[in-house]
Amino acid sequence: MDLTAPDRSEEFISRHIGPDEAAVREMLDIVGADSLDALIAQIVPERILERDGLNLPGPRSEQDVLADLARIASRNRLFRNFIGQGYHGTFTPTVILRNVLENPAWYTAYTPYQPEIAQGRLEALLNFQTMIADLTGLDIANASLLDEATAAAEAMVLAHRHAKSKSNAIIVANDCHPQTIAVLKTRAEPLGLEVRVGFAPELMAQGDCFAVLMQYPSTSGRIHDMRPHVEAAHAGGALFLVAADPLALTLLEAPGAWGADVVVGSSQRFGVPMGFGGPHAAFFACRDEFKRSLPGRLVGVSVDAQGGTALRLALQTREQHIRREKATSNICTAQVLLAVMASMYAVYHGPEGLKRIARRMHALACVFAEGLRRLGYSTTATQFFDTVTVAAGDRSERILALARERGLNLRDYGTVPATIGVAFDETHDAGDVAALLGVLADAKGIAAPALSDCERTATSALPGELLRTSPFLTHPVFNTMHSETGMLRYLRRLSDKDLALDRTMIPLGSCTMKLNATTEMIPVTWPAFGNLHPYAPLVQAEGYRELTDGLEAALREITGYDAVSLQPNSGAQGEFAGLLAIRGYHRSRGEDHRNVCLIPSSAHGTNPASAHMAGMEVVVIDCDVQGNVDVADLRAKAQAHSGKLAALMVTYPSTHGVFEDSITDICDIVHAHGGQVYLDGANLNALVGVARPGKFGADVSHLNLHKTFCIPHGGGGPGVGPVAVRAHLAPFLPGDPSRQDNATGPVSAAPFGSAGILPISWAYVALMGASGLKRATQVAILNANYVATRLAPHYPVLYSGRGGRVAHECILDIRPIKEVTGIGNEDIAKRLIDYGFHAPTMSFPVAGTLMIEPTESESKVELDRFIGAMLAIREEISAIERGELDRDDNPLRNAPHTARMCLAEDWGHDYTRERAAWPLPSLHPNKYWVPVARVDNVHGDRNLVCSCPPIDEYAASAETAGR
């Protein structure tokens, strides 16, 4: 018997990459290439083709990687945290942990641009919007933003656009969270806005402003009565912005009730782990009059083709990057998965449960404050919610040291005289209060008071005039799902409505939807990664530092750049950070005047939006008929703007799915005129192991870890968008929000952004190794060319490179078909739902087209299933051409078909129910039934409803569902 342990080091590669060796051989034969290397040599320009290979370790087994991550996690030291500052311990209800955060039905879903197959996540987001609108007392809330600090920055920009005051100054209370102030300064400076920080009432008396931002409760715990300040701001033509704690709003009056115009904040303490800083769902609520400037995404209630209620993304121009260089925001990624968790936390606990949690932590804070009084300490505020600030004086260092010795993290405000903050959260109990009082007593060398005595005499510190009297979360969804059975079934009912990667291939172009392996996901929910405070002493985060250092080193090797920042918590934030680095570099050389950014017309919409945010003037470069950058036009415009040229933003491979041969020439032209080359890393999945942008001419790129490096899309977030630069730009990478240690300020609230999901990408790189990463790229390109080759005789492939090859994605031109039959790309997209597929990307980057990116994770069997569906749909279109199907009443125009439609007594169509619902025999054993018919987008925008429908409508729909 052979007891030798098997070598599992390369097992994961074959599990991640869909086609096996035999399938690869078959596909190569069909596309006409001798080998993967030969195919890549035909597609990737020789001048940029990487020949030396990646200097990374070889692949490792799943067991080995998990063991190593456990070792790394053990280096993090979990203290009892009382730091606060916008980050708090919380209990994630296990039914939500298992059935949302750890459930691929939720975390592998895509942004709900196709509403018919996203009704579950759209309902969860509608719950989130309703929760935020109720708690803040404002008219409308979006479906989440990246973090509290960037949400405040978005509020600043909205206020500047809408305020009656023509001032360029915003007044920010110095009692706001310091990371928020730092991010505001970063965002304000390129736009020419002035951030005045200090005692807000005093600053308001000194001059005009377009907005005032205050924290409620403040970073030091104070609860201010802001009503007089709201009146003063409005009298001066300014908007009043509030950064609020949503849990405090269960006990304190809603800001909307006392006049706030915009309220932002973080829903992190609603069941979302701290994760060393993220990801967390921020929120943004405002008055109705500002809804058309609301950043990010907005879920609205509409109707479907059968007249039933259906949800969709409303006012889709809220994806403001679609406005390109006119955008006021580049928001692309939201935090959907975390917003779902937060909304379900509210659904599970309900309004009374949330109030119980809030009252308990307030009680802990009050008992602690009473103990302080008995010990002879003074507090800086008599009215507070969960945070007590202690005037520590010359005992400050001893108190902090004693606390750390006992495993307690307190907040050092770094002020003179010295103050220490103690913030209570859901995870704390009476034993924590006793331990804290013991520290403060020992610092004085006296005995701590009895906890029972403190409890007996403690009184509430909430201001009576600001106690909440308005109801919230009155909708039945927040009042009927408090049992685990009810919650479990609700989550299952919602996820069953959706199509995610756990059910089917998602053939989207531009957004790489690949396997998010379970082994990569498991460490995310380990407490050693999830429960670390982002501002805990760095000595407690040695595991995270090993992980981030290792991931940065791998990304440097993969891209060929010299330095990486992991701080940007979305691809759009990475773009912004990259442009700030370019801006900082030019300014360091005395070339502040360089502010022109050249951008090809084919670029992602976030590119011009980010350039605008960075204070740059956008000049558009034409593309030729093959979809390539028009080099002659680039040369002419670079020459015309030579003295002011700051940067070129170029996506490579192009958004058209082509490796452009001229990329090195493009870089040379820009450099010759003093500019820097920003290469958008959205399509890096076609480059890893075969070409390195930092070596073939680019100066900076952002990298989408939620695409190339396996962080899942989560229904539209979280994302991570690190920025990688060559050495001369390294000094201008984002700074730490907690200290001004860099020429460029922070772009996100936490030093490492969404650090809690970085173990996913670390694990992916370790599991694949150098050889696996390269093969993944090769197979991704092979899969795209296989799909293009099979479909080209039936649907024209719009763009191709040398030899008719495409890169990692291909664009099908549906416009000729529409001219003949009236069938457009949307009809094909909706009909694919009946075949059990998510649609490809519609009308981007070219209107009337479908863009397909199969990724390396899809097997030949699944690719053939998708191709079979597309060919069957093409035959249905041909039947319309032949007159066998009616031009207006046909399976494409009426798609998707719900069970209700197919079971209706009156069918009323010339084609059969069988053809409608089961167009292929293979669908019989595994049919996905779409929950709604085609959604009416126009109705949704004309009749904007963005919170849960009224109770009577809810009851009526529930009764209908029961029948």
Side-chain angles (χ1 to χ4, degrees):
M1 298 177 66
D2 184 4
L3 301 181
T4 304
D7 179 6
R8 300 184 181 277
S9 60
E10 296 192 9
E11 277 189 357
F12 180 80
I13 297 174
S14 61
R15 299 188 192 284
H16 174 82
I17 297 175
D20 59 18
E21 290 291 346
V24 166
R25 184 68 264 160
E26 287 182 49
M27 290 192 290
L28 285 169
D29 288 343
I30 290 171
V31 303
D34 293 334
S35 67
L36 286 172
D37 287 336
L39 177 66
I40 298 304
Q42 294 171 14
I43 295 173
V44 180
E46 185 177 0
R47 285 190 290 177
I48 71 170
L49 188 61
E50 182 64 45
R51 302 188 185 282
D52 296 333
L54 295 174
N55 185 21
L56 292 173
R60 299 165 64 184
S61 71
E62 295 177 66
Q63 296 79 8
D64 180 39
V65 167
L66 282 175
D68 203 14
L69 276 169
R71 177 195 61 77
I72 291 172
S74 71
R75 299 188 64 200
N76 292 330
R77 302 172 63 195
L78 293 183
F79 282 27
R80 298 289 282 169
N81 281 300
F82 301 87
I83 298 172
Q85 199 174 325
Y87 301 92
H88 304 272
T90 183
F91 291 126
T92 307
T94 49
V95 64
I96 296 174
L97 178 73
R98 175 63 59 86
N99 295 286
V100 177
L101 183 57
E102 297 180 342
N103 184 350
W106 289 97
Y107 68 68
T108 68
Y110 182 59
T111 305
Y113 293 128
Q114 293 291 323
E116 295 83 3
I117 50 84
Q119 291 295 297
R121 76 198 86 130
L122 286 167
E123 181 172 333
L125 291 175
L126 192 71
N127 292 345
F128 179 83
Q129 292 177 179
T130 303
M131 173 184 81
I132 297 304
D134 279 7
L135 289 171
T136 61
L138 287 171
D139 302 313
I140 195 165
N142 70 10
S144 80
L145 289 177
L146 301 175
D147 59 33
E148 182 171 329
T150 53
E154 297 290 344
M156 172 183 69
V157 175
L158 179 145
H160 186 248
R161 184 177 180 183
H162 285 279
K164 294 177 181 177
S165 170
K166 300 307 178 185
S167 169
N168 277 334
I170 179 174
I171 290 172
V172 180
N174 55 9
D175 216 0
C176 290
H177 291 319
Q179 68 270 21
T180 298
I181 296 173
V183 171
L184 279 172
K185 290 179 177 178
T186 302
R187 283 286 298 273
E189 194 273 337
L191 298 176
L193 304 180
E194 178 188 357
V195 179
R196 298 176 185 166
V197 181
F199 182 55
E202 185 176 293
L203 292 175
M204 292 169 68
Q206 293 174 359
D208 292 340
C209 64
F210 68 84
V212 177
L213 172 66
M214 298 183 75
Q215 193 98 33
Y216 181 68
S218 75
T219 196
S220 62
R222 290 183 178 90
I223 299 174
H224 299 284
D225 184 352
M226 300 185 191
R227 289 172 292 187
H229 311 317
V230 173
E231 293 175 5
H234 288 167
L239 299 189
F240 199 87
L241 319 176
V242 177
D245 177 347
L247 197 58
L249 297 183
T250 65
L251 304 181
L252 297 174
E253 191 55 86
W258 41 256
D261 298 294
V262 178
V263 180
V264 301
S266 171
S267 62
Q268 178 266 315
R269 69 190 315 174
F270 277 34
V272 181
M274 287 184 286
F276 201 44
H280 309 136
F283 59 83
F284 189 113
C286 64
R287 300 199 177 281
D288 183 74
E289 63 198 270
F290 307 131
K291 64 176 177 281
R292 294 191 179 274
S293 295
L294 190 69
R297 299 175 186 139
L298 186 66
V299 176
V301 181
S302 187
V303 296
D304 71 0
Q306 301 296 304
T309 299
L311 308 179
R312 60 181 281 275
L313 288 181
L315 298 177
Q316 292 204 22
T317 52
R318 296 292 66 73
E319 296 280 1
Q320 286 208 32
H321 62 273
I322 294 172
R323 301 178 69 233
R324 299 178 68 82
E325 62 272 13
K326 295 180 181 179
T328 56
S329 169
N330 67 351
I331 289 296
C332 183
T333 306
Q335 298 283 26
V336 170
L337 187 66
L338 301 314
V340 170
M341 291 178 66
S343 74
M344 292 307 167
Y345 181 91
V347 169
Y348 195 50
H349 287 293
E352 293 305 316
L354 293 178
K355 285 190 283 189
R356 279 195 301 272
I357 293 169
R359 286 174 181 144
R360 181 177 170 276
M361 66 180 64
H362 178 63
L364 292 172
C366 292
V367 171
F368 174 67
E370 174 63 15
L372 289 176
R373 186 188 66 79
R374 289 170 179 260
L375 287 170
Y377 288 94
S378 62
T379 59
T380 61
T382 57
Q383 295 181 331
F384 54 82
F385 167 55
D386 63 354
T387 299
V388 180
T389 307
V390 185
D394 57 8
R395 293 188 177 88
S396 173
E397 290 187 10
R398 175 154 176 75
I399 292 170
L400 292 169
L402 282 172
R404 284 194 292 269
E405 288 174 10
R406 300 174 191 185
L408 309 172
N409 281 332
L410 312 183
R411 182 176 175 188
D412 180 5
Y413 282 90
T415 56
V416 178
T419 55
I420 292 172
V422 178
F424 290 90
D425 62 43
E426 180 185 13
T427 68
H428 296 139
D429 56 27
D432 292 311
V433 177
L436 290 165
L437 292 176
V439 166
L440 288 148
D442 288 351
K444 280 192 170 185
I446 60 178
L451 198 62
S452 57
D453 293 340
C454 298
E455 290 180 32
R456 188 174 63 255
T457 56
T459 57
S460 174
L462 297 176
E465 69 276 13
L466 289 176
L467 289 179
R468 182 159 195 142
T469 57
S470 55
F472 63 95
L473 303 187
T474 57
H475 192 274
V477 74
F478 297 105
N479 293 278
T480 56
M481 244 76 74
H482 304 329
S483 73
E484 180 160 340
T485 305
M487 190 64 178
L488 181 69
R489 290 172 181 165
Y490 182 56
L491 292 172
R492 175 61 185 268
R493 190 160 66 247
L494 293 186
S495 64
D496 278 351
K497 294 180 179 182
D498 290 6
L499 269 184
L501 204 65
D502 64 327
R503 290 201 202 208
T504 182
M505 172 187 179
I506 300 181
L508 291 155
S510 186
C511 283
T512 307
M513 298 296 294
K514 64 203 293 183
L515 172 67
N516 316 122
T518 307
T519 292
E520 296 158 4
M521 298 297 297
I522 282 175
V524 170
T525 55
W526 290 349
F529 286 130
N531 294 346
L532 197 65
H533 195 288
Y535 293 113
L538 288 178
V539 69
Q540 297 172 24
E542 290 180 354
Y544 259 117
R545 290 314 302 260
E546 179 181 346
L547 184 139
T548 55
D549 287 350
L551 182 56
E552 287 177 4
L555 295 177
R556 289 196 300 270
E557 173 61 20
I558 288 167
T559 61
Y561 288 111
D562 302 304
V564 172
S565 169
L566 297 171
Q567 186 183 115
N569 50 9
S570 79
Q573 290 291 87
E575 289 181 15
F576 180 56
L579 292 173
L580 289 182
I582 290 173
R583 190 170 185 268
Y585 170 73
H586 287 314
R587 297 181 76 181
S588 73
R589 293 158 53 87
E591 296 187 311
D592 300 42
H593 59 279
R594 289 192 175 273
N595 69 339
V596 170
C597 185
L598 306 177
I599 301 180
S601 60
S602 63
H604 289 90
T606 51
N607 287 180
S610 295
H612 174 79
M613 287 169 51
M616 295 184 181
E617 175 190 341
V618 173
V619 174
V620 178
I621 304 300
D622 293 336
C623 290
D624 62 24
V625 293
Q626 284 79 38
N628 301 316
V629 173
D630 186 328
V631 176
D633 190 52
L634 170 67
R635 184 176 286 110
K637 287 174 178 172
Q639 177 66 49
H641 298 281
S642 184
K644 296 180 64 179
L645 183 59
L648 164 77
M649 297 186 80
V650 60
T651 301
Y652 198 79
S654 74
T655 308
H656 292 146
V658 176
F659 280 94
E660 299 180 46
D661 287 331
S662 59
I663 185 61
T664 53
D665 296 331
I666 288 171
C667 295
D668 290 343
I669 291 168
V670 173
H671 289 148
H673 291 280
Q676 297 286 288
V677 176
Y678 173 95
L679 188 142
D680 189 314
N683 296 336
L684 195 72
N685 207 49
L687 293 178
V688 176
V690 302
R692 299 198 286 175
K695 298 299 184 184
F696 63 68
D699 300 288
V700 54
S701 292
H702 89 270
L703 322 172
N704 295 94
L705 300 193
H706 49 290
K707 294 183 182 181
T708 305
F709 295 94
C710 291
I711 289 175
H713 284 66
V720 180
V723 58
V725 298
R726 292 175 61 194
H728 64 283
L729 295 181
F732 309 100
L733 287 172
D736 188 326
S738 65
R739 51 186 181 270
Q740 295 300 315
D741 61 349
N742 194 296
T744 303
V747 297
S748 301
F752 291 92
S754 293
I757 50 178
L758 295 179
I760 300 169
S761 297
W762 187 97
Y764 173 67
V765 173
L767 288 162
M768 296 292 281
S771 60
L773 291 171
K774 179 179 179 181
R775 186 172 180 85
T777 301
Q778 292 176 320
V779 174
I781 292 173
L782 170 63
N783 281 358
N785 279 275
Y786 177 70
V787 170
T789 301
R790 292 282 311 277
L791 292 181
H794 311 278
Y795 300 93
V797 174
L798 187 56
Y799 299 115
S800 60
R802 288 181 300 149
R805 304 294 194 192
V806 299
H808 61 302
E809 60 192 9
C810 61
I811 299 175
L812 305 183
D813 191 355
I814 310 301
R815 293 171 298 181
I817 292 174
K818 186 171 185 179
E819 288 180 9
V820 174
T821 67
I823 297 297
N825 60 345
E826 183 175 11
D827 298 313
I828 295 173
K830 303 308 181 186
R831 183 57 171 156
L832 273 169
I833 297 172
D834 289 329
Y835 286 80
F837 282 104
H838 193 294
T841 300
M842 289 198 305
S843 293
F844 177 81
V846 180
T849 64
L850 294 173
M851 184 161 60
I852 299 167
E853 181 179 355
T855 86
E856 72 275 12
S857 294
E858 298 302 340
S859 68
K860 182 176 179 296
V861 171
E862 185 70 357
L863 296 180
D864 286 340
R865 194 171 75 86
F866 172 71
I867 291 167
M870 289 295 291
L871 296 181
I873 290 171
R874 187 63 184 90
E875 174 53 32
E876 291 176 341
I877 296 171
S878 297
I880 296 171
E881 292 177 286
R882 296 190 298 266
E884 297 168 11
L885 286 172
D886 187 82
R887 187 181 175 93
D888 297 314
D889 181 24
N890 58 66
L892 287 99
R893 281 294 182 86
N894 295 325
H897 297 82
T898 66
R900 184 176 179 181
M901 291 168 64
C902 293
L903 293 173
E905 184 174 342
D906 180 16
W907 175 238
H909 301 294
D910 288 338
Y911 58 95
T912 66
R913 301 172 197 259
E914 177 82 7
R915 184 166 197 168
W918 289 281
L920 291 176
S922 59
L923 293 170
H924 282 273
N926 190 29
K927 172 67 179 174
Y928 166 73
W929 285 105
V930 64
V932 296
R934 194 176 303 197
V935 177
D936 188 332
N937 292 326
V938 175
H939 175 93
D941 282 349
R942 287 179 177 171
N943 304 276
L944 190 62
V945 177
C946 297
S947 58
C948 293
I951 292 175
D952 54 348
E953 289 187 22
Y954 179 90
S957 63
E959 183 179 343
T960 301
R963 292 201 298 267

